Amino acid sequence: MQVDPRGPRFGAAVTTAVLVAVLVTGSWALLAAQAVVFGFATFLGLRYAPYGLAFKVLIRPRLAPPRELEDAAAPRFAQGVGLAFALVGVAGYATGITWLGIGATAFALAAAFLNAVFGFCLGCEMYLLIRRFTAKDRSEREVPA
């Protein structure tokens, strides 16, 4: 599936605001809500994620068509990374290990901020590196005929 790259960037901007609010309030419930958003994007796809739907309905109709589309696999993987950090953060806040909640939330915030402001998707880059290394490993294991 191909996606407008401005959609994930919009989602990253909203995520940035949510994660700042989590750090300011220490609300594990708000972080859990963000984890649900990450979960939708990870397991159902970007087009069914709440921020993706908001972009599709509210923002994209007001923009010119995108110059190019990108494969959804990398941003979807990035949402999975965000989900992992959010779940660790929720566990930290909910169990009273506040430093864990703050740390995990701060890492997720840094990644979302990089994408929202600079268009640098850290999770997407991780995905590409993993794909590159696993493809290289597979090609080295294959025996030429």
Side-chain angles (χ1 to χ4, degrees):
M1 181 178 93
Q2 300 286 303
V3 295
D4 181 340
R6 300 170 296 184
R9 213 165 160 187
F10 168 79
V14 176
T15 299
T16 296
V18 170
L19 295 176
V20 165
V22 169
L23 288 175
V24 168
T25 64
S27 170
W28 68 267
L30 185 56
L31 186 55
Q34 180 60 50
V36 169
V37 171
F38 284 140
F40 270 96
T42 302
F43 297 112
L44 300 178
L46 299 175
R47 71 171 41 155
Y48 300 108
Y51 303 156
L53 290 171
F55 175 78
K56 180 182 175 183
V57 172
L58 301 173
I59 308 296
R60 186 161 184 197
R62 293 169 171 72
L63 302 174
R67 284 186 235 145
E68 59 187 31
L69 298 175
E70 68 180 18
D71 185 44
R76 192 170 176 175
F77 176 84
Q79 293 293 300
V81 174
L83 174 61
F85 276 98
L87 291 175
V88 169
V90 167
Y93 281 118
T95 59
I97 308 171
T98 308
W99 62 266
L100 181 61
I102 291 170
T105 304
F107 276 114
L109 172 60
F113 179 81
L114 285 172
N115 193 359
V117 175
F118 300 109
F120 181 79
C121 177
L122 191 58
C124 299
E125 294 300 320
M126 288 173 51
Y127 174 82
L128 295 173
L129 281 172
I130 291 167
R131 294 273 305 179
R132 186 175 305 141
F133 285 121
T134 57
K136 183 178 177 183
D137 288 345
R138 269 181 284 177
S139 67
E140 289 174 356
R141 284 182 267 161
E142 293 176 4
V143 177

